């Protein structure tokens, strides 16, 4: 009896378990993903706005190679001869061939740069695809969202254009599974960049309540720059003139030059009247990626608490750049190119120990030198005076100078830096992608190309006058000027177009050094080979290990299409740039 | 109704036989001999052992107490045998009491435990390997799988010497492009890792290798199955058996074997040599401008490397003033004298590491129950300072009868583990780490002392030494207060019901709960050139719960000569659901341990997450048929569903079939004296795998991520706004990978068990391999690409086990066991137009390429022809970036007249062609000797640590190795061991992946050598002991290898990225003493 009872009970229990588990089997194998959102969850105003923030976030090239940084410190400044990699030969050695103009298509940094821009484009396209799915967005908001998105997409393609020249143009109509990998690369997409920027210019409001957004004038400035790159001088001039006359920042400041040159590079002065469009950065966000993580290597080396950062001594200004700041007695630059020769060259502490006495150069220099180049004996912001060799990892390899722009102040440590990373060097200074000083010089260039030489001279002088404000020069602790600063305006009317263009171009070098523009300027001017051959000749004598035997060859104006992408998409889809 | 159960019936049967025997004895006119027969290892009585007087039909069997009684006369030889034990012969003397102990061994009737069922090995058609408890115990390692190395043919164990890590196990090669870990089953319950197991608790380990044996696990079995069975106790043991197993030992860090570094003066001299070589290469005048070594051609070492901001000070300094400055500004002022004798940094960060393990076991049982309870503790130090491992475990296994047909049981273990100071990711498996402390020891110049004159840690604050960090400082300061622990409970409840005789229903429910916690403190230290600027603190925790429910019905019966065993079942499981949270922050007011928490730090960063695990739902069936114990046929089928896959493709069906033929059962072999047993086996089957697929693979998703998609859109300097990005592109059509395995093999026993040979030839073909086809960058690379069923992989090999045993004399017996595995692995297909994908890059060097037609993780790079011998050689050679005298001269593989990336080729691979293990045991009376050798042949190692030590230009100024002395000179030419000593860095020197880094990683290691002594019964009986054994063993005693790195057993990542030595945690020599007691 008892046995029977057990048999029934236990069998019943067994069967119940089986039936129970089988009966809910459809649900059982549906395990929803965790910590992520489905497409439908984003189909609302809040979702689309969030996706747009995601697109802005891609400006910082977060988690990609430091070389992909929006400030183009490698592809704009180092390739442009303003600086070299710095540090020592072994550190980040994948940059070594790049700065020698020997970039291989297999370079991971090149691939990372490509990917970082397309990540931004993919995020823009996602916004444009999500937008029609949401039905709670007003027409005005739709216009604004599309405008901001297309501005960003236009910017990313502009970057690709400058760096690679020929790339596949992907818009929101192609995606995974709909042939995205079959879109071939082409150099002919300026019209697409113009269309995006034009839409943004025509549709965006003049101001936003949030300072980080692109407004009408950011789009206008970028569009005018796109005209300039295509040598559409008349369109460029017309639009630049409107921007200069009427432009204002997103937070409602009339466009103008910051009174003190050094205050362009101060986190406390972010989103100033000169900042047309900037990569915003902040601390206490839960990730150092939201600060200037791309700049974290670019501080002097081994400074301890006497200087900023912890690392690593990258991005050292070149001899050529430092020498370019030499002026004549009138405070004008040596436009004949003699700044590198003989006594004109800046006296420096190359090969001199920090413990050996050294007196800095006493000749006339442009005051922007000491806002741009860290050199021995000159106060390094509010840190100590640059001690020379002790702050340089391998002076014989990379020269005596340190990067000085986009460096945070001692007084800002922990308030305008993010200390939660492995180094102290996560500053929250915005990198300004396009600033009013740049616009003035581009406008001057368009003027000069069109023969309006006096209008051009006025704009150049406007830029120089700001630098000439003696109150803003670097001072010693006793209040005297840190060096013999002499800067003057171009007081003689310009009559020769070539000379005028030469002056404008040189002014861009001085004003915008280290800001990632130089190489792209040289390429669009068609003088990259000539200029960089001279540059290499000058540097290679001193930095033999770094530059010995390096030459700039035709075709190196653009980087190679990443081999990794050709491997994925096929060489019938992606054609390698010539000379690679 | 009278309470009854099965066991007493058995006893009755024994008694019946016994009395039958007694009847026989009474017919004889001899003395009566009595005694007890026991298991030599455990002291347990052996019930039903048979005793036969040789040459007669007279015999008996032991009763439930192991007692026997037989009538024999002096001079008779008793043949004593027991299933699974070595039969022995005892000659009757004058004594009337003859206690006999038997030893497990010869012709053991091994059983194959698959987790769902148990089969006699002799009736089994599949390919399995069984490792018995005694063998496992032999190697005093903390983790059980490390002990499988070389003992089981076909199993690759990639291990490192770091305590508390689990090893990487690969059964029969690499079936997939990742996630090739075998399925681990502990007492029928799948577990994620075996690192909680105490080796002393394990009864046996079975490795199911082919489809015939493993496909009962269907979709999860493609990588093999390792089934651990823990001790259970035995019914009807009259007393509580108490065992104690203790191990004490230590591991030597092998300082003498560590790579040799240049001493301080040599380093100075070789720095100046590099300056000379630089000058020559660049055609300029040499300048000696190192901050420490003086400006003369003859390098000298200064009196102070650093004195409060001044480097390379010659002469005296004002020590008192510097002390005052240090007091005024603590932590920022250093006074570093050179250590002229040279600091041996590897020595400084290592120690002789102690090991201790104690296990107390209680086992026993009554008529209606059996149990095993153990308490275990292991305390093990790593050879790196501040690396410790502790494990405390409680295991409680019991089974009891509720009624005569219903059994109820439980296996459970509660474990506390604490692992501190471990290096490398993935629970210490991925130990090879570019910034590891072992590597730091090779990068830190020998001239720098551990401490400066002010008693602070000294480091590269002294200029000219680049950026290495003082590893003693980083290990001590940053690890001494860290703690990481894990509390884990894993267990299974089951009920078994005998519906009718031999028809058993079984249902079980198991759970695996784990809770982790860690806290870490990092301390501000400004003495490095790249200093740690802040004090920081982090802590976090996680928990997870997985469960499994298994229901089976099994029936076995015999009709005439036909034996049939059938099993059917259903299983449901979740791999683990849980959450984690962790946070970090900086610079609390005080670093007092009693003060710091996340509330008092600055810039706190908190993150958390959740996971749901994967659900599996399976039904399975298995039928084994045997005819006359001669012909065997076995069929298995399993259908699995997994939540990893989309609704259309989530089920997979995996069949297997196997047959065996016992040739010795046939007349033509029955009569021979040579072949005792011979069984041919052949099997075919399919198994699945989905380990390498993200649980969300089927979904297209967006995500928010602070580090990837937030943005301070308001222009604020603090805090950012939430943004979204596409985080995953889904593939709803992905389905199971299918591995088709064929196996043909035989089990042979020769000369009455003197020889045993097991051999299997196998082939494993994986199709529909889930491969994450790299997406074009234009799609946006932050979105994870979906895995699609596209790639193919081929593995084949030969597994062999040869055992020879016998005796040199009646007192001296031996056993030699040699296991061998030959493996060939090849990626046969990836995706259309995809011929390869890469592995990790290290400092711009990318050594690994996974390519079609090549083994996984093959090394890919330039082939070094030699060194450029002079300017003419340079000029006449093809164009090559950075080419120069004394630098690497590469082969123009594609013959296009220039050396570029297209000239890279395959330069070796880390998959060993052959691995083998040899165990040799000799027993001389109570003494036993055991030695165990392991060898790996044909594997290559990419010795990336040479990047740091063998190029002057790699972090110039940091420590360099003694190969500098054999760096290129015109005289050495191609006999040089490294390129010319110089600063230059390009693909022609340190920036290119090339064959110079590739070394032969073959090795032979005497992994174990031991002497054991079992105390004689006469000595221990009075102490109340049934067993006492002492053992002394040396582990990793000798390693024979040509490899120049620290240890050829390179751990680290596996599958698509392994065999790269980046400062590996070495396996080193140790000595252990163990004591095993039975009460």
């Amino acid at each position: 009896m008892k046995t029977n009872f057990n048999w029934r009970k236990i069998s019943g229990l067994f069967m119940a378990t089986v039936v129970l588990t089988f009966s809910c089997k459809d649900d059982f194998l549906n395990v929803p993903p965790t910590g992520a959102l489905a497409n439908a969850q984003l189909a609302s105003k809040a979702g689309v706005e969030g996706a747009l923030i995601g697109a802005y976030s891609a400006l910082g090239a977060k988690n990609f190679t430091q070389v992909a940084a929006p400030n183009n410190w490698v592809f704009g400044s180092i390739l442009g001869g303003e600086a070299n990699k710095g540090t020592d030969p072994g550190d980040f050695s994948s940059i070594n061939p790049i700065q020698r103009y020997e970039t291989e298509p297999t370079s991971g940094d090149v691939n990372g740069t490509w990917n970082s821009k397309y990540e931004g484009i993919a995020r823009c396209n996602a916004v444009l695809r999500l937008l029609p799915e949401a039905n709670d967005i007003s027409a005005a908001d739709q216009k604004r969202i599309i405008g901001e998105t297309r501005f960003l997409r236009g910017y990313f393609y502009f970057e690709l254009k400058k760096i690679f020249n020929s790339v596949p143009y992907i818009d929101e109509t192609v995606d995974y599974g709909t042939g995205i990998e079959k879109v071939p690369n082409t150099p002919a997409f300026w019209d697409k960049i113009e269309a995006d920027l034009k839409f943004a210019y025509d549709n965006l409001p003049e101001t936003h309540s949030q300072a980080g957004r692109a407004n009408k004038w950011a789009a206008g400035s970028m569009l005018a720059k796109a005209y300039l790159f295509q040598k559409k001088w008349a369109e460029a001039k017309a639009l630049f003139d409107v921007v200069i006359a009427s432009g204002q920042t997103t937070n409602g400041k009339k466009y103008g030059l910051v009174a003190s040159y050094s205050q362009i590079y101060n986190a406390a002065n972010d989103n100033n009247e000169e900042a047309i469009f900037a990569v915003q950065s902040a601390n206490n966000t839960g990730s150092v990626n939201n600060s200037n993580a791309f700049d974290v290597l670019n501080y002097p080396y081994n400074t301890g608490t006497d200087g900023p950062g912890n690392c690593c001594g990258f991005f050292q200004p070149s001899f050529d750049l430092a020498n370019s700041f030499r002026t004549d007695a009138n405070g004008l630059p040596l436009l004949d190119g003699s700044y590198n020769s003989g006594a004109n060259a800046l006296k420096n502490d190359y090969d001199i120990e920090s413990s050996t006495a050294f007196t800095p150069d006493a000749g006339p220099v442009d005051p922007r030198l000491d806002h741009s180049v860290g050199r021995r004996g000159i106060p390094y912001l509010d840190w100590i005076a640059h001690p020379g060799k002790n702050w340089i990892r391998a002076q014989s390899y990379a020269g005596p100078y340190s990067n000085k722009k986009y460096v945070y102040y001692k007084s800002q440590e922990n308030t305008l830096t993010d200390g939660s990373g492995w180094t102290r060097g996560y500053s929250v200074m915005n990198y300004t992608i396009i600033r009013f000083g740049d616009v003035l010089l581009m406008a001057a260039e368009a003027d000069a190309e069109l023969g309006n030489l006096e209008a051009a001279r006025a704009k150049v002088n406007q830029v120089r006058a700001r630098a000439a404000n003696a109150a803003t020069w670097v001072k010693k602790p006793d209040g005297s000027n840190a060096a013999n600063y002499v800067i003057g305006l171009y007081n003689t009317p310009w009559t020769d177009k070539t000379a005028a263009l030469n002056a404008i171009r040189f002014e861009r070098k001085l004003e915008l050094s280290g800001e990632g523009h130089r190489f792209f300027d040289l390429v669009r001017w068609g003088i990259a080979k000539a200029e960089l051959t001279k540059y290499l000749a000058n540097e290679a004598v001193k930095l033999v290990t770094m530059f010995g035997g390096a030459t700039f060859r035709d075709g190196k104006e653009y980087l190679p299409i990443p081999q990794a992408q050709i491997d994925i998409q096929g060489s019938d889809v992606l054609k390698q740039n010539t000379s690679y | 109704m009278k309470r009854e159960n099965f066991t007493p019936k058995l006893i009755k049967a024994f008694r019946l036989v016994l009395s039958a025997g007694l009847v026989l004895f009474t017919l004889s006119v001899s003395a009566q001999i009595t005694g007890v027969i026991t298991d030599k290892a455990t002291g347990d009585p052996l019930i039903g052992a048979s005793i036969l007087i040789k040459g007669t039909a007279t015999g008996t069997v032991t009763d439930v107490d192991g007692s026997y009684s037989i009538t024999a006369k002096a001079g008779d030889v008793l043949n004593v045998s027991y299933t699974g034990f070595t039969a022995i012969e005892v000659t009757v003397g004058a004594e009337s009491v003859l206690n006999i102990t038997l030893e497990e061994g010869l012709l053991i009737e091994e059983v194959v435990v698959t987790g769902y069922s148990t089969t006699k090995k002799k009736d089994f058609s599949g390919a399995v390997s069984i490792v018995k408890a005694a063998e496992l115990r032999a190697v005093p390692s903390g983790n059980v799988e490390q002990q499988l190395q070389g003992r089981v043919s076909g199993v690759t164990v990639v291990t490192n010497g770091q305590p508390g890590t689990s090893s990487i196990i690969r059964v029969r090669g690499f079936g997939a492009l990742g996630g090739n870990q075998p399925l681990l089953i502990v007492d029928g319950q799948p577990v994620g890792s075996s690192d909680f197991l105490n080796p002393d608790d394990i009864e046996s380990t079975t490795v199911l290798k082919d489809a015939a044996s493993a496909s009962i696990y269907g979709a999860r079995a493609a990588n093999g199955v390792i089934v651990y069975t823990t001790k259970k106790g035995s019914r009807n043991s009259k007393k509580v058996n108490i065992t104690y197993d203790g191990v004490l030992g230590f591991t030597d860090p092998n300082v003498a074997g560590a790579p040799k570094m240049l001493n301080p003066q040599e380093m100075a001299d070789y720095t100046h040599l590099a300056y000379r070589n630089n000058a020559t290469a660049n055609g300029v005048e040499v300048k000696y401008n190192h901050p420490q070594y003086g400006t003369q051609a003859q390098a000298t070492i200064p009196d102070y490397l650093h004195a409060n901001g001044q480097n390379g000070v010659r002469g005296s300094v004002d020590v008192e003033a510097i002390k005052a400055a240090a007091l005024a500004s603590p932590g920022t002022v250093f006074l570093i004298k050179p250590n002229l004798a040279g600091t041996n940094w590897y020595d400084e960060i290592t120690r002789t590491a102690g090991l201790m393990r104690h296990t107390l076991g209680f086992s026993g049982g009554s008529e209606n129950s059996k149990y095993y309870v153990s308490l275990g503790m292991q305390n093990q130090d790593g050879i790196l300072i501040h690396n410790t491992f502790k494990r405390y475990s409680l295991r409680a296994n019991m089974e009891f009868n509720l009624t005569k047909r219903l059994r109820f049981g439980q296996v459970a273990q509660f474990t506390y583990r604490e692992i501190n100071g471990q290096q490398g990711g993935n629970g210490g498996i991925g130990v090879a780490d570019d910034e590891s402390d072992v590597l730091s020891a090779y990068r830190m110049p020998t001239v720098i002392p551990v401490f400066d004159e002010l008693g602070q840690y000294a480091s590269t604050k002294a200029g000219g030494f680049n950026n290495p960090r003082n590893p003693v400082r980083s290990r001590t300061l940053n690890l001494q207060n860290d703690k990481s622990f894990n509390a884990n409970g894993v267990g299974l409840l089951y009920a078994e019901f005998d519906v009718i005789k031999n028809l058993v229903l079984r249902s079980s429910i198991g759970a695996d709960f784990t809770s982790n916690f860690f806290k870490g403190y990092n301390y501000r230290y400004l003495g490095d050139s790249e200093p740690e600027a802040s004090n920081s603190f982090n802590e976090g925790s996680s928990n997870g719960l997985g469960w499994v429910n298994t229901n089976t019905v099994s029936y076995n019966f015999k009709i005439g000569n036909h034996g049939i065993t059938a099993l059917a079942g259903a299983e449901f499981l979740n791999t683990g659901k849980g959450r984690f949270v962790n946070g970090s922050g900086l610079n609390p007011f005080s670093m007092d341990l009693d003060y710091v928490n996340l509330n008092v730090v600055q810039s706190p960063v908190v993150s958390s997450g959740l996971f749901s695990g994967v659900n599996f739902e399976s039904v399975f069936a298995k039928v084994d048929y045997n005819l006359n114990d001669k012909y065997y046929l076995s069929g298995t089928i399993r259908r699995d569903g997994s939540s990893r896959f989309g609704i259309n493709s989530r089920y997979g069906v995996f069949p297997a079939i196997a047959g065996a033929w016992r040739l010795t059962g046939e007349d033509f072999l029955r009569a021979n004296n040579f072949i005792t047993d011979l069984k041919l086996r052949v099997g075919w089957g399919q198994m699945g795998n989905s380990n390498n697929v993200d649980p969300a693979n089927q979904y297209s998703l967006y995500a928010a991520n602070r580090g990837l998609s937030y943005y301070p859109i308001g222009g604020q300097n603090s805090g950012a706004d939430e943004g979204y990005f596409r985080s995953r592109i889904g593939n709803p059509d992905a389905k199971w990978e299918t591995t088709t395995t064929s196996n043909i093999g035989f089990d042979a026993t020769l000369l009455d068990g003197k020889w045993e040979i097991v051999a299997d030839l196998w082939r494993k073909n994986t199709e529909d391999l889930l491969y994450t086809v790299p997406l074009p960058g234009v799609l946006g690379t932050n979105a994870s690409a979906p895995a699609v069923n596209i790639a193919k992989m081929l593995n084949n090999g030969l597994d062999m086990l040869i055992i020879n045993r016998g005796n040199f004399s009646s007192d001296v017996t031996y056993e030699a066991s040699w296991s061998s595995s030959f493996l060939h692995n090849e990626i046969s297909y990836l995706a259309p137009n995809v011929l390869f994908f890469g592995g990790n890059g290290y400092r711009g060097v990318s050594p690994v390429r996974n390519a079609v037609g090549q083994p996984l993780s093959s090394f890919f790079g330039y082939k070094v022809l030699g060194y450029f011998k002079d300017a003419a050689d340079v000029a006449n050679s093809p164009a090559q970036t950075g080419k120069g005298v004394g630098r690497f001269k590469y082969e123009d593989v594609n013959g296009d007249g220039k050396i570029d990336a297209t000239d890279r080729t395959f330069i070796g691979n880390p998959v060993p062609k052959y691995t083998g293990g040899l165990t040799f045991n000799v027993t001389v009376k109570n003494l036993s000797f055991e030695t165990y050798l392991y060898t790996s042949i044909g594997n290559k190692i990419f010795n990336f640590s040479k990047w740091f030590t063998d190029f002057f230009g790699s972090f110039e100024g940091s420590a360099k190795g003694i190969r500098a002395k054999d760096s290129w000179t015109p005289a050495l030419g191609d006999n040089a061991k490294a390129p010319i000593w110089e600063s230059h860095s390009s693909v022609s020197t340190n920036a290119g992946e090339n064959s110079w880094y590739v070394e032969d990683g073959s090795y032979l290691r005497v992994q174990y050598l031991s002497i054991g002594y079992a105390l004689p019964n006469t000595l221990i009986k009075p102490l109340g002991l049934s067993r006492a054994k002492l053992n002394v063993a040396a582990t990793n005693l000798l390693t024979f290898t040509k490899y120049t790195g620290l240890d050829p057993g390179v751990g680290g990542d596996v599958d698509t990225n392994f065999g790269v030595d980046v400062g590996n945690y070495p396996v080193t020599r140790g000595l252990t003493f163990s004591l095993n007691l039975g009460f």
Side-chain angles (χ1 to χ4, degrees), chain A residues 331-479:
Chain A
L332 291 176
L334 307 182
L335 294 176
D336 58 356
S338 64
Y339 53 84
N340 278 331
S341 45
N344 287 343
L346 203 66
K347 182 184 167 196
N348 59 58
D349 66 328
Y350 190 51
D351 222 7
I352 298 174
E353 293 299 324
S354 290
S355 50
T356 307
F358 172 78
T359 314
D361 190 281
V365 291
D366 187 308
R368 285 172 291 187
L369 167 67
D370 290 328
H371 296 305
S372 312
V373 176
R375 59 186 180 115
R376 174 141 184 214
I378 307 295
Y380 193 79
L381 306 181
D382 62 345
W383 306 94
I384 64 169
H386 195 293
K389 199 173 176 183
N390 275 1
W391 275 17
I392 309 286
R393 167 125 53 177
Q395 204 197 45
S396 60
Y397 174 71
Y401 300 117
S402 297
N403 175 36
K404 204 170 182 181
K405 273 187 182 176
Y406 288 100
V407 170
Y408 67 91
Y409 289 78
K410 185 175 187 179
S411 58
Q412 298 174 338
E413 184 132 36
N414 292 326
T415 55
L416 293 172
T417 63
D418 189 326
S420 64
W422 62 278
T423 116
R424 298 143 67 212
Y426 290 98
S427 106
V428 299
M429 197 185 318
N430 293 350
Y431 166 68
T432 309
I433 287 171
I434 185 164
R435 63 178 171 93
F436 190 60
D438 182 11
V439 161
L440 280 177
L441 291 175
M442 288 192 287
E445 193 183 328
D447 278 329
E449 291 283 0
L450 291 167
N452 309 321
L453 301 186
E454 280 304 284
R457 187 169 68 90
K459 293 187 175 90
V460 171
N461 277 340
Q462 197 181 339
V463 170
R464 291 180 65 81
R466 181 252 305 269
N469 178 356
T472 67
W473 294 347
V474 177
K475 302 284 195 287
K476 291 180 195 162
D478 66 3

Side-chain angles (χ1 to χ4, degrees), chain B residues 512-583:
Chain B
D512 183 350
F513 178 78
T514 182
S515 171
N516 300 293
F517 192 89
F518 68 88
K519 57 168 188 156
Y521 304 82
N522 277 15
Y523 291 82
R524 181 171 182 262
Y525 173 69
L526 301 173
D528 285 326
S529 62
E530 291 173 9
E532 225 166 312
S534 301
N535 288 318
S536 66
F537 170 72
N538 64 84
E539 66 179 331
S541 73
S542 67
N543 65 64
L545 172 69
W547 57 266
V548 57
N549 167 235
T550 312
N551 308 291
T552 58
V553 52
S554 65
Y555 189 47
N556 67 71
F557 59 94
K558 200 157 184 169
I559 306 168
N561 294 330
H562 310 278
I564 290 178
T565 306
L567 172 83
E571 188 165 79
F572 309 88
L573 71 90
N574 173 272
T575 56
K577 188 172 182 160
R579 307 193 72 99
F580 64 88
V581 57
N582 49 56

Side-chain angles (χ1 to χ4, degrees), chain B residues 658-740:
Chain B
W661 176 26
R662 168 157 288 112
L663 278 77
T664 39
E666 303 291 348
D667 290 341
F668 62 85
L669 274 183
R670 193 164 285 162
N672 90 82
N673 291 326
F674 180 67
I675 303 174
T676 314
D677 189 34
L678 177 63
K679 187 173 68 171
L680 286 183
R681 293 178 281 105
V682 56
W684 173 92
Q686 292 186 322
M687 300 177 286
N689 184 26
S690 65
N691 289 342
N692 199 27
V693 183
D694 190 278
N697 189 56
Q698 57 182 298
Y699 302 105
S700 286
L701 297 169
Y702 285 82
N705 181 305
R706 289 177 192 279
L708 290 179
S709 66
Y710 277 45
Y711 191 68
I713 193 71
Q716 68 270 35
N717 276 330
S718 190
D721 301 83
E722 181 175 3
Y724 309 112
F725 69 107
R726 183 155 69 176
S727 57
R728 170 167 290 284
I729 292 168
N731 172 20
D733 298 323
K735 58 180 184 184
W736 295 96
E737 293 175 356
T738 302
T739 296
T740 305

Side-chain angles (χ1 to χ4, degrees), chain A residues 6 25 28 30 37 50 57 62 88 119 123 175 212 280 283 289-290 301 310 351 389 393 419 424 565, chain B residues 282 287 289 403 466 529 531 533 586 615 617 650 702 706-708 710-711 713 717 719 724 726 777 782:
Chain A
N6 271 334
K25 76 175 189 186
F28 185 67
N30 282 330
L37 298 161
S57 180
K62 294 165 183 173
D88 70 11
E119 176 63 30
R123 291 186 186 188
D175 198 3
Q280 304 291 323
N283 59 19
N289 282 357
N290 297 315
Y301 172 79
N310 276 356
D351 222 7
K389 199 173 176 183
R393 167 125 53 177
R424 298 143 67 212
Q565 300 302 323
Chain B
N282 299 320
K287 256 184 209 159
N289 51 11
T403 73
N466 218 299
S529 62
L586 301 172
N615 286 356
E617 171 197 294
R650 58 174 53 135
Y702 285 82
R706 289 177 192 279
L708 290 179
Y710 277 45
Y711 191 68
I713 193 71
N717 276 330
Y724 309 112
R726 183 155 69 176
N782 282 156

